[in-house]
Amino acid sequence: MKYIVIGGVAGGASFSCRLRRLDENAKITIYEKTNFVSYANCGLPYYISGVISKEESLTLQTPLSLKERFNLDVKVNHEVIKINPTKKEVVVKNLLSNEEFVDCYDKLIIATGANAIKITEDYNGVFTLKTVEDSIRIKKYIINNNIKEAVVIGGGFIGLEILENLKELGLKLTLIEGGKHILPNIDLEMASFLHEELKKNDIDLILEKKVTKIINEGNLINIYLNDKVYKTKLLIEAIGVKPASSLAINSNLELDLKNAIKINEDFKTSNEDIYAIGDVTLIKSDIDNELYYLPLAGNANKEGRLLADKLVLGDDTSLKACGTSILKLFSLNVASTGFSEEVLKRKNIHYQKIYLSPANHATYYPNANPLIMKVLLADDYSILGAEIIGKDGVDKRIDLLAMAIKFKIKAYELKKLELAYAPPFGSAKDPINMIGFMAENLKNGLIKQFYAEDIKQIIKDNDAILIDVRTKKEYAYNHIARSVNIPVDELRKNLAKIPLNKKIYLICHSAIRSYVASRILIQKGYNVSHLAGGMIIYNAYLKSIKEGEE
């Protein structure tokens, strides 16, 4: 059996190596149009800054190493320019010699990945970051032209990672994001913590401004917004990616949304002998079972292995994803899994949400830092999504929540999880357990919540009383209009001041004291709700609203 694999990065390399481990007799050829194969494209921004100092550190394998260990015939600088499904042939162009030739296959695997979305032409000083060659070009350009400042368009993963690494080189930076906030996988109020982090690092953040045109004038790139022009010698376009599906289009293979190649659960295209994996395809969601575009290296690698298992062993290839991701942004880490609140609203999926801000490990152990956590729950308390921001401990908590989504663990069941504990690593009641306790309280009607976005309407309600249960000092520093201050430890002796016929809304710093106060008042017969996330989330919400108005 002869297999031709188009694309030798995540999906293509994973498929080919797994196939060889299962079938020593298969003939396997990989055509990769760049000069590198099986490279770590997630590490590219860190090469530019020098955090990853050696170019060879980015390449996990070479054509020679793949030949020696796996007997793979790897052709770099070779682009498949045409597929002839009827004859089961591909036309290949050697990009170094410009010669073309025909190769035949029994099974063809398309793993062409994604292409960077671009606004402008290939002007000098304008770059995207998708390949090892891109990172080398950017690094050389910065050094050769003594670049001191740059503009990045796009506040997604690549945009933020390259922003941080350009800052590492000492550049003055402007980030232009067309949306209301950076990172579309998280929500507005959570993103406000990241906006603050950018400002702390002297990043000029421009939100809700669309780039109308980009023009090269002299030795400067002019970036036109509706109300301003930015001039720079270095522009990084990090707007996003789209499926690299031109081969499939020209070969009359069926397409799906976003021009991704349409596949069945076995990765088979509309042609019996052609398969597609990775960023050129869509994937089903663990949340609602609908297809969506999720260009992540982890999924591409898993799909490559699953396809090889299917073709040789006949194994089940069904794969779903919840979009788990993590990003380092200066001193903070931000991670998410599942759907954001914005996505749930767009899909008209009913939900409730909980916020918490526990420490990453025992507070009595040095260097404890808060985790800002948001968890979105379905009516049956299954987990629809989660977002976490913090300095440490973000990764292991988001991974546990991703596992809970994958294996349909209800939020209240998290209270039972036995998790590793020692003071440097966590708390006896881990933040994941805390999510379980909070969900259980909601499920059993022991607590009711209101959200930051509800306060404006609550203030107008004459039947509502807002009670801030923080200390007098905290209240004096800042508080919500129309709220009165009764510290939680003084609540029982001040019950006569609280009318039983009013709706009571409780506020504190992080929703811990307001929860305790709620339990006191509810058992005394009061109609009580408390502010989810407390003033931490309310202040973040206010900040995000103001940013949108600027």
Side-chain angles (χ1 to χ4, degrees), residues 45-46 48-49 51 152 156-171 173 175 197-198 201 203 327-333:
Y46 302 96
I48 293 170
S49 66
V51 171
V152 177
F157 294 111
I158 295 297
L160 294 178
E161 286 175 342
I162 196 165
L163 190 84
E164 179 179 352
N165 283 278
L166 292 175
K167 185 67 179 178
E168 184 79 17
L169 293 174
L171 273 63
L173 294 161
L175 174 63
E197 183 71 6
L198 291 176
N201 286 275
I203 306 298
L327 172 79
K328 176 185 175 297
L329 185 63
F330 298 109
S331 70
L332 293 180
N333 300 314

Side-chain angles (χ1 to χ4, degrees), residues 450 467-471 474 478 480 485-488 505-517 529-539:
F450 66 100
I467 301 178
D468 192 320
V469 299
R470 296 177 297 165
T471 64
E474 288 175 287
N478 82 320
I480 295 171
N485 182 217
I486 306 177
V488 63
Y505 297 91
L506 300 177
I507 304 154
C508 77
H509 177 64
S510 64
I512 294 175
R513 285 171 287 178
S514 60
Y515 160 63
V516 173
S529 299
H530 79 129
L531 177 59
M535 292 296 287
I536 292 174
I537 297 302
Y538 179 68
N539 289 331

Side-chain angles (χ1 to χ4, degrees), residues 350-403:
H350 190 260
Y351 65 93
Q352 56 184 323
K353 52 186 174 176
I354 55 177
Y355 296 95
L356 59 161
S357 49
N360 63 309
H361 59 61
T363 53
Y364 57 82
Y365 189 85
N367 302 316
N369 289 294
L371 295 168
I372 309 300
M373 306 177 74
K374 177 179 184 177
V375 185
L376 297 152
L377 306 175
D379 292 338
D380 65 353
Y381 291 90
S382 57
I383 300 169
L384 298 172
E387 302 164 24
I388 309 177
I389 296 172
K391 292 187 176 182
D392 192 27
V394 170
D395 51 347
K396 73 173 183 177
R397 272 68 183 220
I398 205 69
D399 285 344
L400 285 164
L401 292 170
M403 188 180 71

Side-chain angles (χ1 to χ4, degrees), residues 396-506:
K396 73 173 183 177
R397 272 68 183 220
I398 205 69
D399 285 344
L400 285 164
L401 292 170
M403 188 180 71
I405 291 174
K406 174 68 70 177
F407 295 105
K408 310 301 180 188
I409 298 171
K410 297 289 196 286
Y412 53 81
E413 293 177 306
L414 297 175
K415 69 176 185 177
K416 300 177 182 178
L417 284 185
E418 182 183 2
L419 303 173
Y421 161 60
F425 304 104
S427 301
K429 295 177 182 177
D430 191 85
I432 295 297
N433 298 133
M434 296 302 297
I435 293 168
F437 300 150
M438 293 171 73
E440 182 183 50
N441 284 338
L442 287 170
K443 174 177 173 286
N444 294 337
L446 295 176
I447 203 77
K448 290 193 296 184
Q449 298 184 129
F450 66 100
Y451 302 123
E453 57 267 31
D454 300 326
I455 289 179
K456 189 174 182 180
Q457 193 60 40
I458 290 170
I459 290 172
K460 297 176 183 177
D461 186 353
N462 292 327
D463 288 326
I465 295 179
L466 283 152
I467 301 178
D468 192 320
V469 299
R470 296 177 297 165
T471 64
K472 289 178 170 61
K473 186 177 179 180
E474 288 175 287
Y475 180 80
Y477 179 73
N478 82 320
H479 59 268
I480 295 171
R482 262 201 65 198
S483 67
V484 296
N485 182 217
I486 306 177
V488 63
D489 294 337
E490 301 174 20
L491 192 61
R492 289 182 180 90
K493 61 186 179 185
N494 283 285
L495 292 177
K497 297 179 181 179
I498 307 172
L500 267 168
N501 63 340
K502 297 287 187 178
K503 291 176 283 186
I504 308 301
Y505 297 91
L506 300 177

Side-chain angles (χ1 to χ4, degrees), residues 76-95:
V76 295
N77 295 306
H78 280 67
E79 182 178 8
V80 174
I81 58 175
K82 186 178 180 181
I83 302 170
N84 187 336
T86 306
K87 294 183 178 180
K88 299 175 75 169
E89 294 176 343
V90 295
V91 179
V92 185
K93 183 177 183 178
N94 183 326
L95 298 178

Side-chain angles (χ1 to χ4, degrees), residues 148-199:
K148 300 296 183 184
E149 60 182 74
V151 174
V152 177
I153 303 176
F157 294 111
I158 295 297
L160 294 178
E161 286 175 342
I162 196 165
L163 190 84
E164 179 179 352
N165 283 278
L166 292 175
K167 185 67 179 178
E168 184 79 17
L169 293 174
L171 273 63
K172 185 179 185 300
L173 294 161
T174 298
L175 174 63
I176 301 172
E177 166 56 48
K180 292 181 179 180
H181 62 84
I182 62 172
L183 281 187
N185 54 303
I186 67 171
D187 289 310
L188 185 61
E189 79 283 14
M190 297 293 282
S192 69
F193 294 100
L194 305 180
H195 296 170
E196 282 299 304
E197 183 71 6
L198 291 176
K199 291 170 186 175

Side-chain angles (χ1 to χ4, degrees), residues 89-139:
E89 294 176 343
V90 295
V91 179
V92 185
K93 183 177 183 178
N94 183 326
L95 298 178
L96 299 180
S97 67
N98 283 325
E99 295 177 351
E100 296 181 8
F101 60 91
V102 174
D103 199 359
C104 61
Y105 62 84
D106 295 308
K107 300 290 182 184
L108 179 68
I109 289 80
I110 302 175
T112 44
N115 291 327
I117 299 171
K118 301 179 70 174
I119 298 175
T120 185
E121 303 297 323
D122 293 325
Y123 290 138
N124 185 41
V126 179
F127 298 90
T128 56
L129 181 59
K130 192 71 180 63
T131 66
V132 175
E133 288 95 336
D134 291 335
S135 64
I136 293 170
R137 282 193 291 266
I138 293 170
K139 189 168 186 173

